Amino acid sequence: MYEYQRKNNPPKTRGILDDKRQFALEYKEFLVHGVEDLASMKKNEKGIHLLLINSSGKLVFKSADGKCGAQVDIVNCKDFTPELVYKRLQSTEYDLVEEYIIQHPDLHALSPSAVNTIRIFTQLNESDEVEILGCRLRISVNSSVDNMAAGNLAAPVEEFTGLVTGPGVYSDITKIDEEFHPVTGVNIVGFQVPFWKESIEMVKRAALKHPQNRSIGWDVVITAKGPGLIEGNHDWCKLLWQLPVKKGLKSILEKY
């Protein structure tokens, strides 16, 4: 997997995916939430003021190179001023601050503890056409993040319909699969991801924007108004890809 991703996403071109600040700039048209860092705040003070009055009432501080839901802190807007945001970015490991996203009501009903995202894996073929390698719904379980690596669930999503076709699984294989959310009781199997057609169309457009990176795991958020990108991963997780469908998928990659 390391060699495959290194070939498809060369180290010299993957920086726009590795650094969340660069990602926010390069893929700005696909974002549905505000993102600010020290550089953008120096250029335009208006951005951080808008961030502090966002409808969620929350901010998310992140490290630019954070992985697996680590180095994330969710805070209340009322506790911050532009000056305090600036000072925190200067004095901590956090490099950027984002608007907390209010997810679609259906996803909130499924699991309200975090914003639950869709991971869609894209691959450019020899003709530079976008192919979908798989889609997974990440589901938080009493957690402020939805990452499987942080102890949460992931379930397979059918590419053409957006229907969840199997139970949620944990990365800890000693835990039982979940057909219903263990806290809310909402059905996982058969769950319809909202705005599915729009989500697939969006990641296909995003995958073609910088074709020098050919295989990307996109994190997609769904709001009441439609989908948006959170980030793109050049080193996307083979466990999140394979465990929910309960089989090894290495053979799919060999033609690329």
Side-chain angles (χ1 to χ4, degrees), residues 68-111:
C68 302
Q71 296 170 293
V72 173
D73 190 25
I74 300 170
V75 301
N76 292 316
C77 292
K78 62 181 177 60
D79 297 329
F80 283 84
T81 63
E83 294 74 24
L84 287 174
V85 172
Y86 192 89
K87 184 180 293 186
R88 190 166 200 212
L89 292 177
Q90 275 189 317
S91 61
T92 67
E93 74 274 22
Y94 301 115
D95 303 296
L96 70 159
V97 60
E98 301 180 350
E99 168 188 351
Y100 185 88
I101 301 171
I102 299 175
Q103 65 185 337
H104 191 281
D106 291 354
L107 286 160
H108 188 76
L110 173 66
S111 182

Side-chain angles (χ1 to χ4, degrees), residues 145-210:
V145 297
D146 66 350
N147 304 73
M148 199 179 191
N152 297 298
L153 293 163
V157 182
E158 209 282 319
E159 174 188 346
F160 300 103
T161 63
L163 281 173
V164 176
T165 57
V169 303
Y170 297 97
S171 59
D172 180 352
I173 62 172
T174 66
K175 290 186 174 181
I176 62 168
D177 297 347
E178 307 280 8
E179 294 195 8
F180 304 89
H181 192 282
V183 177
T184 65
V186 174
N187 286 59
I188 293 174
V189 179
F191 181 86
Q192 175 67 59
V193 179
F195 291 107
W196 187 250
K197 179 183 176 183
E198 294 84 350
S199 298
I200 293 293
E201 290 174 349
M202 178 185 68
V203 297
K204 286 185 174 181
R205 294 200 316 274
L208 291 169
K209 181 160 187 183
H210 292 285

Side-chain angles (χ1 to χ4, degrees), residues 1-5 7-8 121-123 133 215 236 238 241-242 248-256:
M1 191 56 144
Y2 173 81
E3 294 298 340
Y4 164 78
Q5 290 174 336
K7 178 180 179 181
N8 278 273
F121 306 95
T122 61
Q123 173 74 49
L133 299 180
S215 183
W236 49 268
K238 60 185 180 293
W241 188 41
Q242 296 175 114
L249 300 173
K250 181 182 177 182
S251 61
I252 292 175
L253 304 183
E254 290 174 349
K255 63 180 177 179
Y256 304 111

Side-chain angles (χ1 to χ4, degrees), residues 119-122 215-219 231-237:
R119 171 65 62 85
I120 303 178
F121 306 95
T122 61
S215 183
I216 300 174
W218 303 99
D219 289 343
E231 63 185 29
N233 300 273
H234 66 79
D235 53 353
W236 49 268
C237 178

Side-chain angles (χ1 to χ4, degrees), residues 29-47:
E29 68 263 41
F30 303 107
L31 304 186
V32 292
H33 64 299
V35 180
E36 297 289 334
D37 59 23
L38 287 174
S40 65
M41 289 169 64
K42 287 178 181 177
K43 288 180 183 178
N44 181 12
E45 292 183 3
K46 186 178 180 182

